Amino acid sequence: DPHQKARCEAEAPEDPHQKARLTHIPYRNSKLTHILQDSLGGRALAAMITCCSPSSLDREETVNSLKYAARASTVQNHVVASDLSGAGGGGGFEVFREEIESLKRQLAEAEDGAQRHLEELEQTAGEMHRLELELEAAREKADRLEKDAKDDALRKASAGAQPKERGR
């Protein structure tokens, strides 16, 4: 990258040994390296494929790609197979398996509790509906009784208010 090289040259001291060291574009100071950082470092085994073009128009890009690949190939990784059994003393993935099982049990318990609450809610709703029907029936009966009582009072009042003409 020309910008990186210019930055390194601008920061270079007058000492030729330090200048040679600083004009080298650092391995980690690259967009591609930043994208591939998880694969190029640590305990992973990585393979690099470099695209080269025979065209003279792409000469500079091809040379830069080959230089980058050469720098990347000098990175030393210590590949270690993951211990899935946990026999290595660190617990491996067994800790995660236990946590997953624990979370599954908690989820099942929560679902069971939610189902019980839903059943109780449905039962309460059914009871409430039954009580509402009983209340409506009681109101209708009270209205009928009130009407009958008014009718009886009107009949008694009209019977007592009639003149007694027969006896004269």
Side-chain angles (χ1 to χ4, degrees):
D1 184 0
H3 299 292
Q4 290 174 341
K5 189 171 183 179
R7 189 174 64 239
C8 288
E9 288 174 355
E11 296 171 357
E14 293 301 317
D15 182 9
H17 295 297
Q18 287 183 342
K19 185 176 182 180
R21 189 168 46 103
L22 288 177
T23 57
H24 168 70
I25 299 171
Y27 162 72
R28 293 278 182 197
N29 199 5
S30 163
K31 289 181 183 178
L32 181 60
T33 306
H34 180 70
I35 292 170
L36 298 174
Q37 67 186 359
D38 292 335
S39 299
L40 295 176
R43 301 182 334 177
L45 181 62
M48 170 135 334
I49 299 173
T50 304
C51 182
C52 299
S53 173
S55 172
S56 62
L57 297 173
D58 296 325
R59 180 182 174 278
E60 185 178 344
E61 189 67 32
T62 298
V63 169
N64 287 336
S65 294
L66 289 171
K67 286 180 182 178
Y68 177 81
R71 284 193 314 271
S73 69
T74 62
V75 174
Q76 297 293 318
N77 285 349
H78 301 286
V79 179
V80 178
S82 296
D83 184 12
L84 298 177
S85 67
F93 289 102
E94 192 61 34
V95 173
F96 296 118
R97 285 190 185 117
E98 290 172 3
E99 183 177 1
I100 289 169
E101 290 303 316
S102 172
L103 292 171
K104 283 181 181 178
R105 283 191 300 274
Q106 291 176 15
L107 180 61
E109 290 171 5
E111 287 174 346
D112 289 344
Q115 184 63 35
R116 280 193 306 274
H117 289 301
L118 181 61
E119 290 169 359
E120 290 173 5
L121 184 62
E122 288 173 349
Q123 184 179 9
T124 303
E127 181 69 17
M128 189 171 163
H129 181 68
R130 185 187 63 77
L131 291 173
E132 287 172 346
L133 292 176
E134 285 182 16
L135 179 62
E136 184 63 31
R139 284 183 178 152
E140 288 174 2
K141 184 175 181 181
D143 289 344
R144 274 195 319 270
L145 289 173
E146 185 179 354
K147 184 180 179 222
D148 290 346
K150 285 182 182 177
D151 289 345
D152 283 346
L154 283 175
R155 267 186 293 195
K156 287 181 182 178
S158 65
Q162 288 182 355
K164 297 186 179 183
E165 295 182 12
R166 288 187 178 179
R168 275 195 198 192

